[in-house]
Amino acid sequence: MKPGGSSGRLHALRFESQRFRLLTIVVGCFLISLTFLLSSRPDATVFSTLSPRESLEDARIPAMKMLHRSSSGGLTRDFHVDILPQQGESHDHLQQSVDQTAEKTEWVKDTVIIQEVAGERSEEAEEAAERVAADSGDEAAPAVEEKKQQQLPVKLQDAGEPARTPEQTVTSHSVDRRPLCDFSDARTDICDFSGDVRMAANTSEFVVVVDPSAAAVSHKVRPYPRKGDETCMGRVTEITVRATGDAAGAPRCTRAHGVPAVAFSIGGYTGNIFHDFSDVIVPLYNTVQRYRGGVQLVMANVASWWLVKYDKLLRELSRHAPIDLAKAGAAGEVHCFPHAVVSLRAHRELIIERKRSLDGLATPDFTRFLRRALSLPRDAPTRLGDGTGRRPRLLVISRGRTRLLLNLDAVVRAAEEVGFEVVVNESDVGNSIEQVGKLINSCDALLGVHGAGLTNMMFLPPGATMVQVVPWGGLQWIARMDYGEPAAAMGLNYIQYEIAVAESSLKDKYPAGDEIFTNPTGLHKRGFAFMKRTLMDGQDITIDVTRFRPVLQQALHNLAAK
């Protein structure tokens, strides 16, 4: 044995022993770590059961995408969308539900597959995000269906693009499955429906093509808000509204429109300014204002003079020339729309009730619309003591045939003595609505006997005063309903002067003890025609100026500077 050989082998054994101990420590640490990981994730598996191809496909699909969307209120919301492959389904299938957490974060729980092209979200993804926003309670978020039905067609038409066929239009939104018509209102029946809508003018018929599995229904509607008045409604064309699943059997379009249609009649009692506004123009504004001019008016029982008289107002309500149903029918036209409303949403006489309006409109919104449409300059009356030294103007409406104010000159003198500048005018159906509007708007108070001429109060500036002289005969209720309540709704000061028997010409026609004096309201049971003939058109008025002077003073006092 060589010297030093024994010590060399001993040194080598010691080195190998150290390496073994080090390896043992490393392996032990690895096993301890692996044991710890498995115990902390009991659902974990060491080996994947997927094939290499399946694993690669999984790797290509991220477990979660985040849609980032800012709400109209300035708050930022993150929408977390689970994305998982569905066996046998394409990636453009959309399915979504929302659950709002306490932190105002919406989580899309159901599977949503979103295709992205060139780094942009697809139309389906945009719809999904919009639907989430609409469902989240955000007031500024538009209803997705309404947005597609109204905004897209208007945009196409305004851009000068050719109108889509109804078949193309109907595929852009889901089928409207609401009832076609609502017959519950006391004043008007109204039909409101969306989809593939076809108006066959020759049969005065609106046909909406629905799912073939849906039941076919049909309704008849007279589109004028005097429901129950047989005399009036007998002058109104009846329109049929029906749903059919037979698209091939439905009328074929001769013209397609990209905007909704609103159909109504200007028959009935129109030609009287009160009925022109209460039955047509006020309800029309309430019905179509939501479309901001992007609406097609369809009119039955058209009178050309009526269109000329109210042309400026109609142009403000619709950018499109109205369709005369009778003329379109004679030409065999079939007009097609994505949405249609048949009849008008009417509330009370000359009044739009905010709580009933679909768009939260009220009577002052309508009077502002009138002043804007007719370029009426004044939105406040002259005030006493405002430093200008001007006298407030009182307009007295002089009737020419019935309910005459027999001592008009004496009333005018009394008004001037009180402090008014007085203007006398007889409202006539042939007067230009612009000229009448400008005259009334230049005044601070209006005075007249109960009748259609008082409708002109709508042109007064808010804060002005309206004085209604009520004929004898228990007519207080109708006076308030027709003009008193509307005046208050318009923001006017209202004074009602009810004449005494001595001021009525009826005292010269009937004996003192007649029922017309002792129990006039009892005569109302004989019907409105009798009331109108006897108590309205059958009397003239001679105002007791002494009794009436405090009324004039109150009207002037209402204009005191505040």
Side-chain angles (χ1 to χ4, degrees), residues 387-400:
T388 63
R390 291 179 298 185
R391 304 177 78 188
R393 299 185 82 196
L394 170 67
L395 187 139
V396 180
I397 295 177
S398 174
R399 296 179 60 87

Side-chain angles (χ1 to χ4, degrees), residues 82 136 216 262 288 337 361 516:
D82 288 331
S136 69
V262 172
V288 308
F337 307 93
L361 300 172
I516 204 168

Side-chain angles (χ1 to χ4, degrees), residues 284-352:
L284 180 61
Y285 169 81
N286 183 39
T287 305
V288 308
Q289 180 62 15
R290 58 173 35 205
Y291 303 119
R292 301 295 189 267
V295 61
Q296 178 64 65
L297 305 183
V298 178
M299 300 183 183
N301 314 111
V302 172
S304 57
W305 68 265
W306 197 94
L307 297 180
V308 172
K309 183 178 179 72
Y310 297 108
D311 178 67
K312 271 210 166 183
L313 302 184
L314 296 175
R315 286 176 181 270
E316 283 291 315
L317 293 172
S318 172
R319 293 191 291 269
H320 310 284
I323 296 174
D324 182 330
L325 187 63
K327 287 184 178 179
E333 296 173 1
V334 176
H335 294 257
C336 296
F337 307 93
H339 185 94
V341 178
V342 177
S343 202
L344 302 176
R345 302 186 189 280
H347 300 162
R348 291 185 287 156
E349 306 290 13
L350 299 174
I351 290 176
I352 299 173

Side-chain angles (χ1 to χ4, degrees), residues 90-160:
S90 64
H91 282 190
D92 60 356
H93 173 70
L94 297 176
Q95 188 179 17
Q96 196 173 60
S97 66
V98 180
D99 182 23
Q100 189 171 17
T101 67
E103 292 78 20
K104 303 299 182 183
T105 301
E106 286 74 22
W107 293 85
V108 183
K109 293 181 177 178
D110 292 342
T111 300
V112 179
I113 305 301
I114 298 177
Q115 287 185 332
E116 296 187 10
V117 180
E120 295 181 1
R121 285 184 292 173
S122 66
E123 291 181 4
E124 289 83 1
E126 294 288 351
E127 282 185 22
E130 285 184 353
R131 198 171 292 113
V132 171
D135 290 343
S136 69
D138 188 346
E139 291 181 358
V144 175
E145 292 301 326
E146 182 175 337
K147 179 178 178 181
K148 289 193 292 183
Q149 293 169 13
Q150 298 172 11
Q151 294 180 352
L152 178 59
V154 172
K155 181 178 179 181
L156 287 174
Q157 190 169 55
D158 290 349

Side-chain angles (χ1 to χ4, degrees), residues 433-454:
I433 197 70
E434 297 169 75
Q435 293 176 347
V436 171
K438 285 181 169 58
L439 173 63
I440 305 294
N441 186 252
S442 72
C443 297
D444 308 292
L446 183 146
L447 163 65
V449 178
H450 174 80
L454 295 181

Side-chain angles (χ1 to χ4, degrees), residues 405-472:
L405 194 55
L406 297 176
N407 62 335
L408 175 62
D409 291 344
V411 172
V412 169
R413 285 195 301 271
E416 290 174 338
E417 291 170 2
V418 164
F420 280 108
E421 174 191 345
V422 181
V423 179
V424 178
N425 180 264
E426 180 179 348
S427 179
D428 185 83
V429 69
N431 291 348
S432 162
I433 197 70
E434 297 169 75
Q435 293 176 347
V436 171
K438 285 181 169 58
L439 173 63
I440 305 294
N441 186 252
S442 72
C443 297
D444 308 292
L446 183 146
L447 163 65
V449 178
H450 174 80
L454 295 181
T455 308
N456 290 300
M457 66 183 172
M458 68 182 66
F459 303 118
L460 287 170
T465 295
M466 203 273 278
V467 180
Q468 177 174 200
V469 177
V470 184
W472 176 260

